[in-house]
Amino acid sequence: MSIHPAIRHAADADHPGWFTWDVGGPPRFNSSIGKLLVRQGEDGRGWCRMFPEQAHSNLGEKVHGGALMTFVDMALYAGGAMAGANVAMAVTLDCSVQFLSPGELGEPLDAELELLAETGRLVFVRGRVLQGERLVATYSATLRKAVLAR
């Protein structure tokens, strides 16, 4: 599993079977999503969980689409790592999100990620965002692994 060195990843005492995914160091945009948990599924897929609260709401008192897109983008990396992809140093090339039903506040949202293919420079994934059994969104994305200076 490839995890960026700034990520704090440890078992979460409040959620058995889940692990933390906290970005250390100075405050970053990642913190806007709040607590993020990850786990590897029995089938090798990656899973991420967020806990939507008032700060993630739109004026209709549902989860804001921008918060869902941020959650999906974070799942590309956290869920990608859980699925075995080498995404510790990568960027999102494209991401398509289909919103299917509203996300409710106060109920965990789960993003499931399936690794479709990985090449030397690219990672292809797809997934679903669920709230309980209800499908909230689907997504697909391409990531490009960073070329590090030598």
Side-chain angles (χ1 to χ4, degrees), residues 86 117-124 143 145:
N86 181 12
E118 182 171 358
T119 69
R121 294 245 174 112
L122 298 174
V123 177
F124 301 89
L143 309 177
K145 298 175 195 175

Side-chain angles (χ1 to χ4, degrees), residues 7-136:
I7 302 294
R8 292 184 301 250
H9 179 69
D12 187 87
D14 297 329
H15 302 275
W18 290 88
F19 294 83
T20 60
W21 191 270
D22 298 323
V23 178
R28 300 191 186 277
F29 183 75
N30 303 53
S31 65
S32 68
I33 210 70
K35 183 175 187 165
L36 184 68
L37 299 178
V38 298
R39 69 177 175 83
Q40 184 178 38
E42 294 174 9
D43 58 1
R45 293 179 188 205
W47 286 86
C48 295
R49 176 171 281 177
M50 74 166 283
F51 302 87
E53 51 193 43
Q54 190 65 42
H56 302 118
S57 70
N58 59 24
L59 293 176
E61 295 301 322
K62 303 296 181 186
V63 178
H64 192 286
L68 280 171
M69 292 180 79
T70 299
F71 178 46
V72 165
D73 190 58
M74 292 179 69
L76 300 179
Y77 298 89
M82 295 297 101
N86 181 12
V87 292
M89 297 296 291
V91 296
T92 305
L93 287 182
D94 68 60
C95 182
S96 175
V97 179
Q98 298 75 44
F99 300 100
L100 303 173
S101 66
E104 302 294 335
L105 302 178
E107 297 178 41
L109 280 167
D110 293 326
E112 172 193 38
L113 180 133
E114 177 184 4
L115 175 60
L116 299 174
E118 182 171 358
T119 69
R121 294 245 174 112
L122 298 174
V123 177
F124 301 89
V125 301
R126 70 178 170 196
R128 306 179 302 159
V129 177
L130 302 159
Q131 198 161 43
E133 298 293 318
R134 190 168 44 80
L135 186 59
V136 174

